[in-house]
Amino acid sequence: GAGVSQSPSNKVTEKGKDVELRCDPISGHTALYWYRQSLGQGLEFLIYFQGNSAPDKSGLPSDRFSAERTGGSVSTLTIQRTQQEDSAVYLCASSLGQGKNIQYFGAGTRLSVL
Amino acid sequence: AQSVTQLGSHVSVSEGALVLLRCNYSSSVPPYLFWYVQYPNQGLQLLLKYTSAATLVKGINGFEAEFKKSETSFHLTKPSAHMSDAAEYFCAVSNSGGSNYKLTFGKGTLLTVNP
């Protein structure tokens, strides 16, 4: 079946612009996660959704970052007023549930802020 | 709090040689442990996981890892490297308790396989 799909695969934007990154999880997966992968920081947890609610947003680096999930499926990560330090690969994952359930990852969106 | 340390950001082996990628973790509760592999421009793919059953875990592509509580280690091994194993490998930990959805990753180890 289809895996986790992320779009766009690459995004180049100018400093100060807003960007939206999209994630389509595996059908039936109730849990969805966003991670950020950058050269300096490695892989960092950003946010976790169970259904449409986000019980843990603790990894969002600033209030410029927000995410939502609608219909228990597609999720959008929005970064407002982008800064150069936001340049990274943003990875989405989904799983059947939490804990020991396997998180399946998408290929990511590579964001470059000029 | 939990953390993962991967010793060696870059490991180079010859084709057919043993692969050993090191991972040490810290966790205040019994952990779940994972190894993921990432090929260029792709997402992470699970190799294997430990969730408190057998301490020797076998994964895909001939990899295995052993959970050693006394050493807080979960090293990844493969007896004979193939060229196709060249990739970046990430060790990750999550709690078996409360925040068990959150994966904490090591910095990764880039494996190079020489012909």
Side-chain angles (χ1 to χ4, degrees):
Chain A
V4 177
S5 178
Q6 292 188 244
S7 61
S9 54
N10 284 282
K11 176 72 177 178
V12 180
T13 190
E14 294 178 351
K15 178 181 173 181
K17 301 281 191 182
D18 298 351
V19 295
E20 286 189 352
L21 313 180
R22 177 187 168 102
C23 173
D24 272 289
I26 293 172
S27 178
H29 280 193
T30 59
L32 185 146
Y33 317 78
W34 284 96
Y35 293 86
R36 180 169 71 174
Q37 185 174 25
S38 57
L39 281 175
Q41 301 299 322
L43 272 155
E44 305 170 281
F45 167 85
L46 296 179
I47 187 169
Y48 156 64
F49 286 92
Q50 181 59 44
N52 289 338
S53 64
D56 190 345
K57 306 178 183 180
S58 63
L60 294 178
S62 75
D63 59 7
R64 297 186 294 105
F65 287 71
S66 63
E68 64 176 15
R69 189 180 185 194
T70 55
S73 182
V74 171
S75 175
T76 302
L77 177 69
T78 301
I79 308 173
Q80 296 179 310
R81 305 181 302 281
T82 52
Q83 303 295 312
Q84 287 185 333
E85 61 263 28
D86 299 335
S87 296
V89 177
Y90 290 83
L91 292 167
C92 176
S94 69
S95 66
L96 275 173
Q98 61 183 59
K100 55 180 146 180
N101 291 286
I102 297 169
Q103 295 186 23
Y104 294 87
F105 284 78
T109 294
R110 182 175 299 276
L111 175 65
S112 299
V113 182
L114 304 179
Chain B
Q2 54 201 15
S3 65
V4 175
T5 302
Q6 290 184 241
L7 292 175
S9 59
H10 188 190
V11 170
S12 183
V13 301
S14 298
E15 192 174 17
L18 171 72
V19 176
L20 170 60
L21 303 182
R22 299 179 187 274
C23 172
N24 288 88
Y25 69 91
S26 69
S27 178
S28 56
V29 298
Y32 295 148
L33 293 158
F34 306 82
W35 274 100
Y36 281 86
V37 61
Q38 187 177 33
Y39 298 99
N41 299 315
Q42 294 187 27
L44 280 74
Q45 178 184 2
L46 184 73
L47 281 175
L48 48 81
K49 65 176 183 177
Y50 166 78
T51 56
S52 77
T55 56
L56 182 61
V57 181
K58 294 188 182 297
I60 62 171
N61 301 338
F63 285 94
E64 64 181 35
E66 186 172 9
F67 172 67
K68 292 187 176 180
K69 183 178 179 180
S70 61
E71 298 178 7
T72 61
S73 69
F74 191 58
H75 302 330
L76 181 71
T77 61
K78 181 174 180 177
S80 176
H82 294 166
M83 297 295 291
S84 60
D85 294 328
E88 190 154 23
Y89 292 78
F90 293 92
C91 182
V93 63
S94 71
N95 288 328
S96 57
S99 308
N100 58 11
Y101 49 81
K102 184 186 297 187
L103 289 176
T104 299
F105 287 89
K107 297 289 189 185
T109 297
L110 181 64
L111 177 66
T112 301
V113 182
N114 303 307

